[in-house]
Amino acid sequence: QYTAEDVTLAEEVAQRAALALDNARLYQEARDAIALRDQFLSIAAHELKTPLTVLLGNAQAMERRARRDEQLPERELRAVHLIHEQARRLSRMIAALLDISRLEQGKLSIERGRFDLQALVRRVVDEVQPGLTAHTVEYLASDEPIIVEGDELRLEQVLQNLIGNAVKYSVQGGVVQVQVARQADRAYMSVTDHGMGIPAEDIPHLFERYYRASNIHGDQITGMGIGLYIVKEIVTLHGGSVDVASELGTGSTFTVYLPLRHNTDETMQQGGGVDTPSSNP
């Protein structure tokens, strides 16, 4: 025989069991939906990349030919340049979406190799500068090689994202400084702009997915808020870290730290008094 208290307890247990089953079903449905979304993003990105690559290549060739021949009026030349720039922007957006999908599936990996970080940064700066009109990228580095071990293509993506952000958030133009040096047993590369800066309360959240600073207005500066998230994940995969220092109205400095490659035949370690990243005044 069961008392009224026993019946109440049984009903409570039954309700909790039913709630647990519902939660388990909803959780599985959410996981299935996320997997379907990631699959869609992956397929869509791959399918879009092929025609976009053709579009981007032809737009780039048209712009080079137009500038070389100097036969197009200025208005048409600007239109060709706009097509090229928007195709490049779309290509970066698709690549970022694909990276997000890989990160969420735990499939983003790096291919390690030994290379000179100085040479990589110098090449990226040389490639970026011709496409800028209101900005100048100033490269600060020593002549001594800085050897790291990592994915050169992914670290190039990191630097391009940081320089792109520096240009984007310096709406008035100006100088963007890129610095590379050693610091103890680490190498670092920093990107400094003199733009709008970041509110202090936003800095802890900058590397979160889809996060944008509170002083950014969508009608002025576009973006999805995933660039810095990808930067942080790539650097973390390299065993490194990313720091940011910023002041409103003065600018920002993003610094990427990476482990140095140690060889028995090369002296890689540095003592005290090493260079430190340049910062805003």
Side-chain angles (χ1 to χ4, degrees):
Q1 294 184 354
Y2 297 96
T3 65
E5 290 79 6
D6 294 328
V7 174
T8 301
L9 176 61
E11 290 176 344
E12 179 67 20
V13 170
Q15 289 175 356
R16 295 196 179 194
L19 182 60
L21 288 172
D22 282 342
N23 286 340
R25 177 179 55 81
L26 292 172
Y27 177 70
Q28 185 59 48
E29 289 177 357
R31 286 179 61 88
D32 292 342
I34 290 172
L36 185 61
R37 181 204 61 188
D38 291 340
Q39 182 182 17
F40 169 77
L41 286 176
S42 180
I43 293 173
H46 279 106
E47 291 299 318
L48 288 170
K49 282 180 69 176
T50 300
L52 183 60
T53 300
V54 176
L55 173 63
L56 185 57
N58 280 277
Q60 188 174 15
M62 287 176 59
E63 184 175 12
R64 284 202 304 262
R65 192 181 307 117
R67 294 190 182 280
R68 182 186 65 237
D69 297 342
E70 297 182 350
Q71 293 181 352
L72 281 181
E74 183 63 28
R75 183 176 179 179
E76 279 75 8
L77 186 59
R78 287 199 303 269
V80 172
H81 177 71
L82 181 62
I83 293 171
H84 182 202
E85 286 302 308
Q86 292 303 310
R88 287 179 57 190
R89 179 169 176 249
L90 185 57
S91 179
R92 290 194 297 268
M93 291 171 64
I94 291 173
L97 287 174
L98 189 56
D99 283 341
I100 288 289
S101 176
R102 288 169 177 164
L103 283 169
E104 292 187 348
Q105 297 177 59
K107 294 182 179 179
L108 185 67
S109 59
I110 59 174
E111 298 182 5
R112 292 188 177 275
R114 183 172 175 271
F115 63 94
D116 180 10
L117 188 62
Q118 296 264 40
L120 168 66
V121 176
R122 186 177 295 109
R123 174 167 54 81
V124 172
V125 171
D126 289 342
E127 291 173 355
V128 167
Q129 184 60 66
L132 302 177
T133 55
H135 298 78
T136 300
V137 181
E138 184 179 278
Y139 179 44
L140 307 174
S142 62
D143 296 329
E144 185 179 9
I146 298 179
I147 307 301
V148 297
E149 186 173 6
D151 192 321
E152 188 171 0
L153 185 61
R154 287 295 182 184
L155 289 176
E156 178 180 333
Q157 180 183 358
V158 165
L159 184 58
Q160 287 175 339
N161 278 353
L162 293 179
I163 293 177
N165 274 2
V167 169
K168 182 191 300 185
Y169 298 115
S170 303
V171 292
Q172 303 299 325
V175 177
V176 174
Q177 294 175 320
V178 180
Q179 184 176 6
V180 184
R182 297 178 181 178
Q183 187 184 70
D185 60 348
R186 302 183 298 178
Y188 73 80
M189 54 182 183
S190 65
V191 177
T192 300
D193 67 72
H194 303 281
M196 59 198 308
I198 305 164
E201 61 272 17
D202 290 328
I203 290 179
H205 306 286
L206 282 180
F207 299 101
E208 295 176 4
R209 189 174 36 189
Y210 306 123
Y211 187 85
R212 303 191 73 198
S214 58
N215 61 332
I216 303 302
H217 301 290
D219 56 342
Q220 296 177 343
I221 302 176
T222 59
M224 297 186 294
I226 59 178
L228 289 179
Y229 169 71
I230 294 174
V231 164
K232 178 68 177 296
E233 294 299 319
I234 291 175
V235 173
T236 300
L237 286 174
H238 283 80
S241 61
V242 188
D243 289 341
V244 56
S246 185
E247 185 177 340
L248 276 177
T250 301
S252 306
T253 296
F254 287 83
T255 306
V256 172
Y257 295 95
L258 298 167
L260 283 169
R261 164 78 181 192
H262 294 272
N263 279 347
T264 55
D265 58 339
E266 294 184 37
T267 304
M268 303 299 294
Q269 295 182 345
Q270 300 292 310
V274 295
D275 293 333
T276 56
S278 59
S279 59
N280 295 319

